Amino acid sequence: MDIVCYSHLRWNFVYQRPQHLLSRFARNFRVLFIEEPLLDSEKAYLDNQQNDDKVWVVVPHLPAGLSEAEITDTQNDLLSDFFYFFGVTEFVAWYYTPMATALNPSFKPLLVIYDCMDELSAFKNAPALIKKREKELMAKADIVFTGGNSLYEAKKNNHSNIYLFPSSIDRRHFERARSMHAELSDQREIPFPRIGFVGVIDERMDIDMLYAMATKKPDWHFILIGPVVKIDPASLPQLPNIHYLGPKSYKELPFYISKWEVAMMPFAINESTRFISPTKTPEYLAAGKPVVSTPIHDVVKDYGDKGLVYIADSSLQFIIEIQNAMDMADRVQWLKAVDSVLSQNSWDKTVEKMLFIINTALDKSGQKTALQK
């Protein structure tokens, strides 16, 4: 049994939900991760390589100047040949992007799964047809997973077999930050106190709030790790106490986070953040760092209401809560509460529960083959 995943995110972009889930599935099954095409070749071809996570990453390379219909048809031809020569017969089709419903290679899946991790229609530069394509994907999907409470509430009436699987945690990876002593070179010279962010820097970040905080607290140093996407890097605030360190590998993140006083999530409150459930929240907490966030619904519900994350709705309040986090009176008790909540979930447990749902659906459909570990 294979898993064929269609994704709008590239495997080597930022290590997040797709990578956590599919790398675990790849321990037992062959996983083919189909990325969106690159229009950079004179001749159409597929690049396929198995990475360190044992996932086969498949990238279509197409000539520039093709129409949308030609792009779709060319990909269908490439994938049909690829599936044939790769011996793909019984497989589950796993979608992260509704836009891939236009693809229809001449091999039919046993099940169709839509893992809805974001409300993509609310993102900057979203394809015009994405809402239509999602409706089509909902109609053909056998199972729908959602990546947060807000998404589940928004989608639950659109499908009869839908499940909530919020952002989980690889605790062992991030807990290492609690006892690390090494300091990485590009962060070593930044003064303390340090308030840090890891993730994609895009329209979801409140850059005005970041500028206001850095201006009001020139002795605090704000560190941002991650790629700048869909916004002009020149629009980002440039101050002596704001430090953009660029993208880092997943393996490196605990080293950086370990040397912060506080982790921050200064998200803007707008359509693009209405349904997000940031994976970084439990990662920061597992690293043992207090977190200050704007009032993102899923963050408030899952962590703020439990007293695990500080919530602030303005730059002034954000500064107050960062100070409160640095002055935390009973850090030991707070960490015990954090660990109690985080112990209830993990990416391994999420995959196990998803497998049960998938096998149940296969059994009901009369398939003789089920995913077995």
Side-chain angles (χ1 to χ4, degrees):
M1 179 76 74
D2 297 325
I3 298 175
V4 177
C5 175
Y6 298 97
S7 177
H8 60 294
L9 298 169
R10 302 204 178 274
W11 187 271
N12 292 325
F13 177 53
V14 174
Y15 207 90
Q16 50 190 308
R17 182 184 179 93
Q19 288 85 350
H20 280 294
L21 294 175
L22 295 172
S23 64
R24 284 165 172 78
F25 279 117
R27 296 170 185 171
N28 300 286
F29 318 111
R30 187 169 60 171
V31 175
L32 310 178
F33 186 83
I34 315 296
E35 296 187 355
E36 292 184 332
L38 294 174
L39 307 180
D40 62 354
S41 174
E42 292 184 4
K43 183 178 180 181
Y45 71 97
L46 290 181
D47 177 40
N48 63 93
Q49 298 184 35
Q50 190 177 38
N51 60 25
D52 292 340
D53 290 308
K54 306 303 182 185
V55 171
W56 286 92
V57 179
V58 181
V59 186
H61 292 262
L62 308 181
L66 297 179
S67 67
E68 288 298 321
E70 289 171 330
I71 289 173
T72 298
D73 291 343
T74 304
Q75 286 183 91
N76 280 332
D77 291 341
L78 290 171
L79 290 173
S80 293
D81 290 344
F82 176 72
F83 284 9
Y84 177 79
F85 287 109
F86 225 63
V88 178
T89 54
E90 294 184 327
F91 69 98
V92 168
W94 187 293
Y95 288 83
Y96 281 106
T97 170
M99 298 305 293
T101 57
L103 298 177
N104 188 28
S106 56
F107 289 72
K108 302 301 180 185
L110 299 176
L111 285 179
V112 173
I113 297 172
Y114 177 27
D115 188 15
C116 180
M117 62 177 285
D118 285 307
E119 182 55 73
L120 296 178
S121 65
F123 284 13
K124 189 175 182 178
N125 303 327
L129 290 175
I130 194 162
K131 287 187 176 182
K132 179 176 183 291
R133 292 283 186 255
E134 185 180 68
K135 187 175 180 181
E136 294 169 352
L137 180 53
M138 283 283 192
K140 70 187 291 187
D142 299 285
I143 301 168
V144 176
F145 299 133
T146 60
N149 287 288
S150 296
L151 274 175
Y152 177 77
E153 291 299 321
K155 308 289 184 183
K156 66 181 181 181
N157 294 325
N158 297 339
H159 201 275
S160 60
N161 197 29
I162 186 168
Y163 302 88
L164 169 62
F165 284 103
S167 296
S168 194
I169 179 65
D170 182 351
R171 285 181 64 193
R172 183 178 300 176
H173 182 72
F174 285 95
E175 279 182 345
R176 296 161 57 212
R178 301 187 186 188
S179 57
M180 282 179 168
H181 301 291
E183 178 78 294
L184 297 182
S185 59
D186 57 347
Q187 188 173 258
R188 186 178 299 135
E189 301 304 320
I190 298 175
F192 294 91
R194 297 169 178 170
I195 299 93
F197 170 88
V198 168
V200 180
I201 302 169
D202 57 16
E203 76 275 15
R204 292 171 294 177
M205 177 168 287
D206 191 334
I207 59 176
D208 292 334
M209 175 180 284
L210 176 63
Y211 176 79
M213 290 191 294
T215 301
K216 293 172 183 175
K217 300 296 292 186
D219 55 327
W220 289 1
H221 289 264
F222 299 86
I223 298 171
L224 294 96
I225 292 174
V228 179
V229 178
K230 294 186 290 183
I231 60 174
D232 183 358
S235 68
L236 297 174
Q238 304 294 327
L239 292 171
N241 61 332
I242 300 180
H243 310 270
Y244 302 99
L245 302 188
K248 304 298 177 185
S249 72
Y250 182 69
K251 291 180 180 179
E252 292 175 305
L253 296 183
F255 289 93
Y256 285 95
I257 298 172
S258 69
K259 301 303 179 182
W260 300 346
E261 274 69 37
V262 176
M264 65 175 176
M265 296 195 299
F267 289 115
I269 303 301
N270 57 31
E271 280 300 305
S272 68
T273 62
R274 181 180 173 189
F275 299 102
I276 65 171
S277 180
T279 305
K280 62 181 61 61
T281 316
E283 292 174 348
Y284 290 153
L285 293 173
K289 298 303 173 183
V291 183
V292 182
S293 174
T294 48
I296 299 300
H297 178 275
D298 285 9
V299 176
V300 174
K301 178 178 174 59
D302 293 339
Y303 302 100
D305 288 346
K306 297 173 183 176
L308 304 182
V309 169
Y310 297 84
I311 304 298
D313 60 4
S314 67
S315 60
L316 179 58
Q317 189 63 36
F318 217 102
I319 288 172
I320 292 171
E321 297 301 349
I322 290 174
Q323 189 64 61
N324 288 337
M326 290 193 289
D327 296 338
M328 187 187 300
D330 195 343
R331 190 181 185 88
V332 172
Q333 192 61 37
W334 173 78
L335 270 177
K336 285 182 179 179
V338 164
D339 290 341
S340 176
V341 170
L342 295 184
S343 69
Q344 299 171 23
N345 208 352
S346 71
W347 288 116
D348 290 334
K349 290 180 181 178
T350 296
V351 166
E352 185 177 336
K353 292 174 184 177
M354 286 179 167
L355 273 173
F356 178 81
I357 293 167
I358 293 168
N359 282 326
T360 300
L362 286 168
D363 289 341
K364 287 182 178 178
S365 66
Q367 300 294 339
K368 295 181 180 179
T369 304
L371 293 170
Q372 299 293 335
K373 296 185 71 173

